[in-house]
Amino acid sequence: MAETRQWQLASRPVGEPTMENFELVTVDRPEPGHDEVLVETLYQSVDPYMRGRMRDAESYAEPWDVGDPMKAGVVGEVVASNADEFEAGDVVTGDLLWAEHAVADADELQRVNPDLGPISTALGVLGMPGVTAYWGLLDVGDPNPGDTVVVSAAAGAVGSVVGQLARINGTRVVGTAGSEEKVDWLTDELGFDAAINYKQTDDLSTAVAEACPDGVDVYFDNVGGPITDAVWPQLNDFARVAVCGQIALYNATEVPTGPRKLAQLIQTRAKVEGLLVSDYQDRWGEALQRLSRFVREDEIRYRENVVDGFENAPDAFLGLFEGENIGKQLVKVSEREA
């Protein structure tokens, strides 16, 4: 029987994950059953939310089990199909495994349209991160022309799209990022009005106040922690806060004291709302239609940081917590057959 490789969760990390938490194993390549499809991975996504899945059930609602393969967004090519919807050679995307090959039910896959953009974008600007940005900003954040929108982790896959959508909607856009290269990309290429390098700022609260002289109407929070603390006092009356991620806290070994500064909400009557992209599953196509048009018309630009080689998938994931990536972090696993 043919073989394939997969990454399994070897142990639960304490604090920041390390290579010791991953194990690369060789297994028999699975065969598709009734209404199933065998997919060869072309690109695999790595995302900050995966850190939560590495926790135990007491800490996270849907953890991965130790000894099991982890899951990831994948763009792949159909190798074999027992489903009417797909045939060999189709390019599909879905939430599959950290694996070179995986079997999925047909209803768990979506066909990738290469006319919309490079197939890798189905994991980035034209995939889950882009749709998260679209509905998180436009539905939860609800920006109005003239508003000030602040985006944390603004050079990431979600934040970079949020900021550009906010610009398209006529707002003043301020982003936070962790390097001068990222700050320059935000302001020079993506059209942000201002950007703050939080790693080089002695007084983050003052930096946010100076970048937002009229206060903050919408805060798209990908980070939490000190950056959110700095934004909070600048919230205007009836501001909207969309909580998408908390990467500053994902590796914490103790739960930080909080929630903090809630008195500010009494004064401002600001709204704080968490968001899950799965809540917008039935509106996915609507978002992709507009996002693809914005990309074609160069209204939205994107970057992909592609790590080559399936064996390097954990390194790509760990790099997220070092702030190495600009845009979407991907692993290139294999080439599509001509």
Side-chain angles (χ1 to χ4, degrees):
M1 180 175 288
E3 295 181 327
T4 192
R5 295 183 298 171
Q6 59 182 219
W7 281 102
Q8 297 180 354
L9 181 64
S11 60
R12 300 200 186 281
V14 178
E16 188 166 328
T18 69
M19 284 298 300
E20 294 180 353
N21 303 125
F22 304 85
E23 182 179 8
L24 182 61
V25 300
T26 299
V27 298
D28 291 336
R29 196 173 78 176
E31 296 292 336
H34 174 68
D35 208 30
E36 289 185 336
V37 176
L38 175 64
V39 178
E40 179 180 7
T41 300
L42 301 174
Y43 291 94
Q44 175 195 312
S45 176
V46 289
D47 299 279
Y49 79 84
M50 295 175 174
R51 176 61 182 87
R53 297 287 175 89
M54 300 173 82
R55 297 181 181 273
D56 58 32
E58 293 183 0
S59 305
Y60 199 84
E62 299 178 1
W64 293 323
D65 291 329
V66 173
D68 282 354
M70 297 169 289
K71 301 192 74 173
V74 163
V75 165
E77 183 173 0
V78 173
V79 176
S81 174
N82 289 327
D84 294 338
E85 298 93 326
F86 300 103
E87 61 183 25
D90 287 345
V91 179
V92 296
T93 186
D95 192 24
L96 304 181
L97 303 179
W98 285 40
E100 293 173 309
H101 298 83
V103 163
D105 291 336
D107 60 6
E108 296 176 338
L109 300 172
Q110 296 81 43
R111 185 174 276 103
V112 174
N113 182 357
D115 293 335
L116 297 181
I119 60 174
S120 57
T121 60
L123 297 174
V125 64
L126 300 182
M128 180 273 288
V131 175
T132 300
Y134 187 90
W135 290 119
L137 176 70
L138 299 183
D139 188 47
V140 180
D142 191 23
N144 299 304
D147 280 352
T148 294
V149 176
V150 174
V151 187
S152 59
V158 174
S160 59
V161 178
V162 170
Q164 293 178 89
L165 288 169
R167 185 206 70 224
I168 291 169
N169 279 268
T171 72
R172 173 178 171 77
V173 188
V174 178
T176 68
S179 73
E180 288 304 305
E181 180 185 7
K182 293 179 179 180
V183 163
D184 291 343
W185 184 56
L186 295 175
T187 56
D188 297 346
E189 293 191 41
L190 304 192
F192 280 58
D193 295 283
I196 299 167
N197 182 348
Y198 69 88
K199 291 185 178 179
Q200 298 295 322
T201 302
D202 294 331
D203 187 341
L204 194 53
S205 295
T206 297
V208 172
E210 290 177 349
C212 307
D214 296 322
V216 175
D217 300 291
V218 178
Y219 175 42
F220 198 99
D221 185 8
N222 290 303
V223 174
I227 293 176
T228 295
D229 288 347
V231 172
W232 218 250
Q234 307 305 321
L235 294 177
N236 286 331
D237 289 352
F238 305 106
R240 287 81 66 199
V241 178
V243 182
C244 180
Q246 298 281 281
I247 194 170
L249 307 177
Y250 287 163
N251 294 322
T253 56
E254 297 181 0
V255 178
T257 300
R260 298 174 292 191
K261 302 189 177 183
L262 291 186
Q264 187 76 15
L265 301 183
I266 300 172
Q267 179 180 343
T268 63
R269 288 87 78 203
K271 179 183 74 172
V272 181
E273 184 175 345
L275 68 103
L276 289 173
V277 69
S278 57
D279 291 341
Y280 298 92
Q281 195 65 43
D282 60 343
R283 305 181 73 183
W284 198 279
E286 180 183 346
L288 289 185
Q289 183 177 21
R290 292 197 70 198
L291 287 168
S292 62
R293 178 168 63 82
F294 288 143
V295 171
R296 286 196 308 271
E297 296 175 354
D298 202 33
E299 286 287 334
I300 287 182
R301 299 180 179 183
Y302 66 92
R303 281 195 190 180
E304 296 174 333
N305 186 54
V306 181
V307 176
D308 193 48
F310 181 63
E311 63 278 4
N312 296 317
D315 288 325
F317 172 68
L318 298 176
L320 294 171
F321 300 97
E322 302 300 325
E324 295 176 356
N325 63 298
I326 296 180
K328 178 60 189 167
Q329 187 92 319
L330 294 172
V331 180
K332 184 176 182 181
V333 177
S334 61
E335 294 278 358
R336 186 184 180 191
E337 295 186 8

